[in-house]
Amino acid sequence: MTDTGSEAVYAEIELRDWDEVRTLQEERLLDQVEYLATESEYYREQFDEWGIDPDDVQSMDDFADIPFTVKEDERRNQVDPSIDQPLGPHQAADRAELARVMSSSGTTGEPTFFGLTSDDYDAWIEMAARSVYAAGARPDDVFLHAIGRTMVPGGLPYVEALQEIGATVVPAGDGSTERILKTADKLNVDGLFSTASHFQYLIERAPEVTDRTVGELPVTKLIGGGEPGIANPDVRSQLHEAYDADRVSEVMGIGDIAAALSGECTVENGMHFVGQEYVYLELIDVETGEPIDLEPGAEGEVVYTPLGREATPLLRFRSGDYARIIDMGCECGRTSPRFQIIGRADDMLIYKAQNIYPAGIREVVGEIEGASPKMKVVLPHEGKVQFDEPIPIEVARSPDTERPEDELVDDIATSVREQLNVRVDPTVLPSEEIELSEYKTDLVRVADD
């Protein structure tokens, strides 16, 4: 932990003027391009194919001419690995230099693997430490880590990051729901680390498996990642109230780049970017790929380039996350962009000429009296994204509401139309009929499934 003179941040660079940070990023960006030109078989071939001389990349403006890398490029790289390059030609460090290999969750296709040298992994842990510290974890806390997939970025890196800041960690994610709840109670844990869906799932299951509510646990802090959700005001309010929590904060990473890239401070309104010297951040128009300035109110797909990454580096990686910049800087002292993930770019639907994200619909639905933020968009068949007719959605009724179903349906349809300029066809269901996952919950389902 850097001595910043402030308990609000983990590292001094989080307080540094953002223009100064961007200057540092540009220097490291040019070094990274040079590294790839000499050490990466894959990117050497790509530079030739693109007709780009790496020596001509001398600024951020030059860098913006480099084509994007997408998830499918990584998958193709790993189809036929060799003994020397188990991660494919994308691997830029010798096999002997690999210290850790992590895996994506595979929730959006075939899992991909990410290699890390010791220096790469140190950078991951530093960013994750900044992230959980921003989210409220402190050295005197006991945190129960409830994500059981140790091989995914939300697993071991966050366990080690919590330890890095000095917290006591209980890695109980591989246990059953009953064991997680009973362990949290018995060990008087201060915080839980999991996903928003899992926190909601525990609310429902706790009375059934322990005869107690989650509000009776000693937990006062919730840190959630892995999916959008906590930023939704109704989800956040539900978690605050159900757990009687002082802090409900969101963190986010993407395994291709880093386990943690952002963390939410006490303001609880958007996550701060925490990869200052480790990751170059861009925002682009989803359809045109054109850069969008990082400024309050800007929206677009987030693009990342790791800086100093040795094992499996990437250039201009399209994350698929669609984000809105809340502000540049914050009252907490951090100067980096503060943003919210609105949804997945590949979840985008089109209603006539209007782009819409399921998370945006959920945000509106969650504000309606008698409706809960548990909802799903129902696609008539796989691959359906264009709608000229109202989009079918399923919405869970709040357990304590007495509002008639037809009144709820009308209110939902009207609110979505007025706020998003999109027509939906709601079906209201009992809460238990819309399934929550123990890990991540999709906001979209296919009617045939």
Side-chain angles (χ1 to χ4, degrees):
M1 179 175 180
T2 305
D3 182 7
T4 63
S6 168
E7 292 186 358
V9 299
Y10 186 77
E12 176 275 332
I13 198 169
E14 298 177 78
L15 301 171
R16 201 176 298 178
D17 182 82
W18 182 247
D19 288 339
E20 185 182 338
V21 172
R22 282 308 240 191
T23 299
L24 173 61
Q25 288 182 343
E26 184 172 52
E27 293 172 3
R28 301 206 72 198
L29 192 62
L30 303 185
D31 289 342
Q32 186 71 12
V33 171
E34 182 180 355
Y35 175 80
L36 295 180
T38 58
E39 303 299 329
S40 171
E41 173 189 345
Y42 172 72
Y43 277 110
R44 280 199 303 274
E45 293 176 355
Q46 290 301 105
F47 282 129
D48 287 342
E49 184 177 318
W50 295 332
I52 292 176
D53 183 345
D55 291 337
D56 290 339
V57 180
Q58 296 295 319
S59 68
M60 286 180 176
D61 289 340
D62 296 335
F63 185 75
D65 293 331
I66 295 175
F68 301 108
T69 303
V70 297
K71 190 74 173 182
E72 196 53 41
D73 294 328
E74 285 189 288
R75 291 196 177 103
R76 283 196 297 269
N77 258 285
Q78 296 183 2
V79 168
D80 189 23
S82 67
I83 293 176
D84 292 335
Q85 290 182 300
L87 303 173
H90 172 217
Q91 180 184 324
D94 290 341
R95 174 178 171 173
E97 295 174 354
L98 298 178
R100 182 73 59 89
V101 174
M102 306 295 291
S103 167
S104 68
S105 64
T107 55
T108 58
E110 187 71 19
T112 50
F113 296 92
F114 325 118
L116 300 161
T117 65
S118 293
D119 286 346
D120 291 339
Y121 196 65
D122 287 346
W124 269 38
I125 299 306
E126 172 66 21
M127 285 185 278
R130 294 175 191 176
S131 176
V132 297
Y133 194 88
R138 291 295 182 268
D140 57 352
D141 284 335
V142 177
F143 257 84
L144 188 150
H145 183 278
I147 293 177
R149 301 181 176 193
T150 54
M151 194 174 179
V152 302
L156 280 177
Y158 279 100
V159 170
E160 295 181 23
L162 287 163
Q163 291 174 188
E164 180 72 15
I165 70 166
T168 301
V169 187
V170 184
D174 287 325
S176 65
T177 297
E178 180 178 8
R179 186 173 183 181
I180 287 172
L181 291 166
K182 288 186 174 180
T183 299
D185 188 29
K186 185 172 184 178
L187 296 182
N188 287 298
V189 303
D190 302 287
L192 294 179
F193 182 98
S194 194
T195 64
S197 296
H198 194 199
F199 292 145
Q200 292 175 305
Y201 179 83
L202 293 177
I203 293 171
E204 294 184 357
R205 292 296 312 279
E208 177 185 334
V209 301
T210 66
D211 293 324
R212 302 178 69 191
T213 68
V214 291
E216 296 176 81
L217 296 173
V219 172
T220 60
K221 300 177 182 180
L222 301 178
I223 298 179
E227 60 181 0
I230 284 178
N232 180 286
D234 291 278
V235 173
R236 191 190 299 276
S237 177
Q238 177 197 24
L239 298 180
H240 265 297
E241 292 174 11
Y243 286 86
D244 192 22
D246 298 328
R247 287 288 301 274
V248 177
S249 302
E250 189 172 27
V251 296
M252 188 213 64
I254 175 170
D256 315 76
I257 307 299
L261 290 160
S262 58
E264 194 169 40
C265 69
T266 54
V267 175
E268 292 190 0
N269 182 24
M271 297 175 288
H272 287 279
F273 177 66
V274 296
Q276 282 86 347
E277 71 272 51
Y278 300 116
V279 179
Y280 177 56
L281 172 72
E282 298 177 84
L283 202 64
I284 64 165
D285 183 283
V286 173
E287 296 180 0
T288 68
E290 290 299 309
I292 296 172
D293 289 339
L294 297 176
E295 58 186 17
E299 293 186 6
E301 183 179 353
V302 187
V303 173
Y304 298 108
T305 299
L307 305 174
R309 182 73 168 266
E310 297 172 332
T312 48
L314 292 165
L315 283 178
R316 305 197 78 201
F317 182 78
R318 294 187 67 154
S319 68
D321 288 328
Y322 192 84
R324 177 189 301 125
I325 304 295
I326 304 300
D327 208 347
M328 299 296 294
C330 181
E331 63 189 63
C332 74
R334 293 175 178 84
T335 60
S336 60
R338 182 157 48 95
F339 62 93
Q340 286 181 353
I341 301 299
I342 300 172
R344 291 287 302 170
D346 50 10
D347 278 348
M348 185 180 77
L349 305 174
I350 304 170
Y351 175 74
K352 297 185 178 178
Q354 176 80 21
N355 295 344
I356 185 67
Y357 292 87
I361 298 174
R362 177 178 65 179
E363 189 169 337
V364 175
V365 169
E367 297 172 353
I368 295 168
E369 180 186 353
S372 83
K374 284 177 64 177
M375 61 136 283
K376 287 186 186 290
V377 170
V378 183
L379 304 184
H381 55 80
E382 188 73 45
K384 172 77 170 177
V385 296
Q386 178 79 48
F387 289 84
D388 294 314
E389 66 286 351
I391 300 171
I393 65 172
E394 295 173 339
V395 179
R397 162 190 293 276
S398 295
D400 56 353
T401 188
E402 296 182 359
R403 294 189 70 187
E405 183 175 322
D406 58 347
E407 188 177 301
L408 271 175
V409 167
D410 183 62
D411 206 354
I412 292 167
T414 300
S415 294
V416 173
R417 184 178 69 250
E418 291 178 349
Q419 294 188 47
L420 301 178
N421 198 29
V422 167
R423 292 184 180 272
V424 294
D425 178 18
T427 299
V428 176
L429 300 172
S431 181
E432 63 272 13
E433 291 190 22
I434 297 184
E435 184 178 358
L436 284 173
S437 166
E438 289 188 63
Y439 185 49
K440 294 183 183 181
T441 295
D442 272 331
L443 296 182
V444 177
R445 77 171 184 86
V446 179
D448 298 338
D449 290 353

